[in-house]
Amino acid sequence: MAKHPPPERFKLTKGMAEKIIAEVPQTVTYYGEIQGIIHALYKESQPPKLVVRELATHALVDCFFKDEMYQKVVNALRKPDTVLFIEGTATEEQEKGQVGSIEVARLTPAPDFDEARYKRFIGSQPGYTGTLTTEEFIAAVRDDG
């Protein structure tokens, strides 16, 4: 087995650490998606803005959309519990690890949950796990993982 030299060490002062922290971006921007329910609509702001309560974190996210998306937004407001898939250029607050805002590229209502369809799905793939029970299959996947 090869020996590795000990790692080089550096002295880090509080002042140096503060300078490093100041250089780290507070936000990061990427193309992404959130799922959520409309909390508020600001129709007279420019650009118009939705505030969406994200399902995963329950955080409020500012979603800026184009005027041509207005009718989709109005349609989504017809049912108070409509879940939206909102994708676009997201800005994430690094410290919180949460999306703070999105420039909306696409806004799509999620399909309504159909309990009867869900129940029909259960058991629809007999033999999917081969000779293993569901529990044995999950355990085997975890062991490989």
Side-chain angles (χ1 to χ4, degrees):
M1 179 158 60
K3 287 191 175 185
H4 298 285
E8 191 173 352
R9 295 180 184 239
F10 299 93
K11 183 177 180 181
L12 180 64
T13 66
K14 181 179 178 183
M16 292 166 62
E18 288 171 349
K19 286 181 183 178
I20 291 169
I21 289 169
E23 292 296 319
V24 174
Q26 300 302 304
T27 61
V28 63
T29 302
Y30 54 87
Y31 194 87
E33 178 187 272
I34 63 166
Q35 298 173 18
I37 296 173
I38 296 174
H39 176 78
L41 167 63
Y42 295 88
K43 65 180 188 160
E44 292 185 357
S45 65
Q46 279 306 319
K49 175 176 93 169
L50 287 173
V51 178
V52 171
R53 174 128 0 238
E54 187 179 17
L55 294 181
T57 65
H58 303 287
L60 295 175
V61 179
D62 292 335
C63 302
F64 300 95
F65 62 95
K66 297 177 182 122
D67 289 331
E68 56 266 20
M69 295 178 178
Y70 185 78
Q71 193 57 51
K72 279 189 171 187
V73 170
V74 169
N75 291 343
L77 285 166
R78 293 203 169 133
K79 291 194 322 191
D81 59 348
T82 296
V83 173
L84 295 174
F85 298 121
I86 299 172
E87 63 181 90
T89 304
T91 301
E92 182 177 310
E93 299 168 21
Q94 290 281 70
E95 190 173 316
K96 293 180 181 177
Q98 295 177 346
V99 175
S101 67
I102 293 185
E103 299 288 332
V104 179
R106 189 181 317 189
L107 183 137
T108 310
D112 289 334
F113 179 72
D114 181 342
E115 187 172 358
R117 184 176 182 195
Y118 170 74
K119 286 182 176 180
R120 284 193 311 269
F121 176 75
I122 295 173
S124 66
Q125 293 290 319
Y128 183 78
T129 60
T131 60
L132 302 176
T133 66
T134 301
E135 292 80 9
E136 291 168 337
F137 184 80
I138 291 170
V141 170
R142 284 189 183 142
D143 289 344
D144 290 343

